[in-house]
Amino acid sequence: MSLDPPTYLNSLQNNIRARPIPWEGAVRAGTITDQDLKKIKAVDKVRKEQRRQTVENDVGAYRSLLLGGDDARSVLESASKRADVIQYILVLTGDLINDCPSLPSALLDHQDPYKPFLPLLTYSTNPEDQIPLLTSSVLASLISLAQAKFPKSNPKTDEALPKLYKYLSGLTKSQDSGLQDIAVQEYSSLLRTKKSRELFWRQRQETVNPLIDILRAAAGAGKDSDSTLWSGGTSIRSATEAGLGGGVGLQLLYHVLLTVWQLSFEGTLIGKGLSEEQDIIPLYTQLLRLSPKEKTTRLLLSTFLNLLAPQMNRSLLLPATISARLPSLLSNLKGRHLTDPDLLDDLTNLTDMLTEYTSSQTTFDAYASEVLSGHLRSSPPHSDATFWRENASKILTDNKAELPKKLAGILGKSWDNDKQVLAIACNDVGWLVKECPERKEMLEKLGLKARVMELMTDADQSVRWESLRAVGEWLRYNSEK
């Protein structure tokens, strides 16, 4: 999986390669040794083939130059006070790793291959500082190669990864999309093994959360509001003509989706957390609705399948797909002229999975799934008198009153951008009191009566009307009693 190098990083490295370094002065100052300088000059500003032959003829010497050995320090450590030399050596190291296949293998055989590099990640707290940025590029390349060399696990790599993840997470929180893209591409190069994905998830407050924030911005949904996700308020036309929400570019969107897709291969580990912490199903449904290219659509569909593959995830995630209206969106997708064979296979498989799920659902199951998703919509059960007559008691008692407790949670939110949810919840409370008046005290203990009465003065007319009707059921029961 090869990605084009980030433009900003590529430009920075080219600028550093072109800078003149007063090497002889650095030797006289004791910043580097004369032997270090000879090794540097032998591979600096020469053709790739000459560089490769020079390194392969004395790979041990170049390993010592970069990592130290035999009581000698790494050139990065000895030049610690010369930022220009450090920057130059970091760029040269990246070039040597890319051009000389024998060198990274020799570096990784060292007892501590990351030692000179890791401290440079904290060289500065400024996310635009060049030294940590260049260091992260070198480490990402080296660790990626280590994962190929030691596919199961490696203690030094497992120790280095969290430190690199921490630095990169700072870039993903930047307002600079160029820095964000550097971080995300480096994440992608690192998430190639089960262990690296597990470590990434373990640090999800730092690693995953900022990526989801980028996706929420692209979907046009604020961090603290999920109404846009559930309502699907933005059209494909407006998204592609005006650009994605939050100024998120297509390249950054693709790279973030790619990273989350790689992480989704640990579906059993991450499924519940992504659902409960990030509302991943409505978010990805909205992104699928807005997806401007087949390559982003393919990643979205494949991620859905990865998350739904573990049986243990389905009871939590499948209900959310119905509330987010994913089945109807998949039906619309089938009407588009799509050509990618993998995308078409994933679309068919996901559609078949959801069709099988919905066909086995009773009306009660569908209602329960909607409530448990945390978002209510104008689905048939809410206004069906027969449904409430047959199911109200079960709703109140099933699974230790799970559904009325969830209703209380839904009513407890303001839903400023989706007042319909409050109106529907008040409607449901009214039906429960009407059909099971003997249970009204339980509802009152959950705070439902107080909240419904509070909503009688809401600015939204439909909320006021439904809350008034619900309170009326309490009053009617009291007067009849």
Side-chain angles (χ1 to χ4, degrees):
M1 187 185 304
S2 177
L3 299 176
D4 293 333
T7 304
Y8 175 78
L9 182 61
N10 198 36
S11 176
L12 173 62
Q13 291 168 335
N14 284 335
N15 287 339
I16 291 173
R17 290 186 189 101
R19 291 177 190 170
I21 301 292
W23 293 113
E24 285 73 14
V27 172
R28 288 194 299 272
T31 301
I32 61 174
T33 67
D34 189 55
Q35 289 300 313
D36 289 340
L37 180 56
K38 289 179 181 178
K39 294 171 193 170
I40 293 169
K41 285 194 169 184
V43 294
D44 187 32
K45 293 181 174 60
V46 298
R47 293 180 179 179
K48 288 184 180 181
E49 181 59 27
Q50 182 181 341
R51 173 181 289 165
R52 185 184 64 78
Q53 289 180 356
T54 299
V55 171
E56 289 186 353
N57 287 338
D58 199 358
V59 69
Y62 282 92
R63 183 176 74 172
S64 297
L65 174 72
L66 298 176
L67 302 182
D70 296 329
D71 298 325
R73 293 195 300 170
S74 159
V75 66
L76 290 168
E77 294 170 322
S78 61
S80 60
K81 294 181 180 180
R82 286 285 302 274
D84 59 337
V85 173
I86 294 176
Q87 291 169 7
Y88 203 92
I89 294 298
L90 286 170
V91 173
L92 181 61
T93 301
D95 293 340
L96 293 175
I97 289 174
N98 291 330
D99 298 343
C100 311
S102 61
L103 180 62
S105 181
L107 295 176
L108 293 171
D109 286 335
H110 190 276
Q111 61 181 358
D112 202 347
Y114 312 116
K115 182 183 176 184
F117 303 106
L118 289 173
L120 297 178
L121 290 174
T122 55
Y123 186 89
S124 169
T125 57
N126 180 0
E128 297 184 12
D129 190 287
Q130 296 176 357
I131 287 178
L133 191 62
L134 294 167
T135 302
S136 74
S137 177
V138 171
L139 279 171
S141 297
L142 199 54
I143 290 175
S144 179
L145 291 167
Q147 291 171 340
K149 186 177 177 70
F150 310 107
K152 291 186 177 180
S153 187
N154 176 270
K156 289 297 180 182
T157 298
D158 296 345
E159 182 182 337
L161 265 173
K163 297 174 182 177
L164 181 54
Y165 286 157
K166 181 177 178 63
Y167 169 73
L168 294 177
S169 73
L171 298 185
T172 61
K173 298 170 189 173
S174 169
Q175 298 301 307
D176 186 326
S177 61
L179 293 177
Q180 289 178 318
D181 199 44
I182 290 170
V184 175
Q185 287 206 46
E186 290 182 13
Y187 276 157
S188 182
S189 72
L190 297 168
L191 295 178
R192 298 183 177 186
T193 65
K194 182 178 181 65
K195 184 65 176 182
S196 67
R197 295 189 289 267
E198 289 173 347
L199 291 171
F200 191 83
W201 180 250
R202 191 178 300 169
Q203 289 177 250
R204 62 185 177 275
Q205 296 300 318
E206 293 177 309
T207 56
V208 176
N209 287 9
L211 299 183
I212 299 298
D213 288 343
I214 293 172
L215 294 180
R216 281 181 169 271
K223 186 175 181 180
D224 300 319
S225 172
D226 55 8
S227 60
T228 301
L229 302 182
W230 290 102
S231 64
T234 307
S235 69
I236 297 171
R237 180 184 174 90
S238 64
T240 54
E241 288 183 358
L244 293 160
V248 178
L250 176 59
Q251 176 175 282
L252 179 58
L253 173 66
Y254 175 74
H255 292 152
V256 174
L257 291 176
L258 177 63
T259 299
V260 178
W261 171 74
Q262 290 173 270
L263 185 63
S264 73
F265 282 91
E266 305 307 319
T268 302
L269 173 68
I270 71 172
K272 182 178 180 181
L274 281 181
S275 178
E276 294 181 348
E277 298 168 17
Q278 306 293 355
D279 257 344
I280 194 68
I281 296 298
L283 172 59
Y284 262 54
T285 301
Q286 176 68 353
L287 289 168
L288 185 60
R289 188 175 288 114
L290 302 175
S291 179
K293 298 287 184 179
E294 283 198 13
K295 64 180 184 178
T296 51
T297 299
R298 181 177 64 243
L299 286 173
L300 289 160
L301 292 174
S302 185
T303 302
F304 271 127
L305 285 171
N306 285 347
L307 293 175
L308 289 167
Q311 197 66 37
M312 64 179 291
N313 286 354
R314 296 187 181 185
S315 61
L316 178 65
L317 300 183
L318 282 173
T321 65
I322 308 306
S323 297
R325 307 179 190 182
L326 179 58
S328 61
L329 177 56
L330 296 180
S331 179
N332 291 337
L333 276 178
K334 284 194 167 185
R336 296 190 203 171
H337 180 63
L338 301 171
T339 59
D340 186 293
D342 292 333
L343 184 161
L344 292 169
D345 285 346
D346 286 347
L347 179 58
T348 298
N349 291 334
L350 186 57
T351 300
D352 290 346
M353 182 187 296
L354 297 189
T355 299
E356 180 182 353
Y357 171 73
T358 53
S359 65
S360 67
Q361 293 287 286
T362 65
T363 307
F364 174 83
D365 292 333
Y367 174 78
S369 296
E370 184 180 328
V371 174
L372 292 175
S373 76
H375 188 275
L376 304 180
R377 58 188 177 87
S378 297
S379 54
H382 298 289
S383 57
D384 187 343
T386 301
F387 169 79
W388 289 104
R389 187 166 56 252
E390 294 176 351
N391 292 286
S393 179
K394 184 178 181 181
I395 289 170
L396 289 168
T397 59
D398 195 57
N399 202 15
K400 298 181 180 179
E402 180 182 32
L403 294 178
K405 290 175 182 176
K406 189 66 178 180
L407 269 177
I410 293 172
L411 273 171
K413 297 181 180 179
S414 63
W415 297 98
D416 291 332
N417 297 315
D418 199 357
K419 289 291 187 178
Q420 183 188 42
V421 175
L422 290 177
I424 295 171
C426 288
N427 166 82
D428 291 3
V429 172
W431 277 111
L432 291 173
V433 176
K434 179 178 180 178
E435 296 298 332
C436 300
E438 71 280 3
R439 299 271 186 179
K440 70 181 184 66
E441 289 185 2
M442 181 191 81
L443 297 175
E444 291 172 8
K445 288 181 180 179
L446 291 174
L448 286 167
K449 182 179 180 181
R451 176 58 173 157
V452 168
M453 292 182 70
E454 179 183 322
L455 291 172
M456 289 172 65
T457 59
D458 193 86
D460 185 87
Q461 182 179 354
S462 62
V463 174
R464 291 199 306 271
W465 170 248
E466 294 296 346
S467 60
L468 182 62
R469 289 183 63 238
V471 171
E473 292 299 335
W474 255 291
L475 296 177
R476 186 168 69 85
Y477 172 75
N478 288 338
S479 63
E480 290 177 356
K481 183 176 179 180

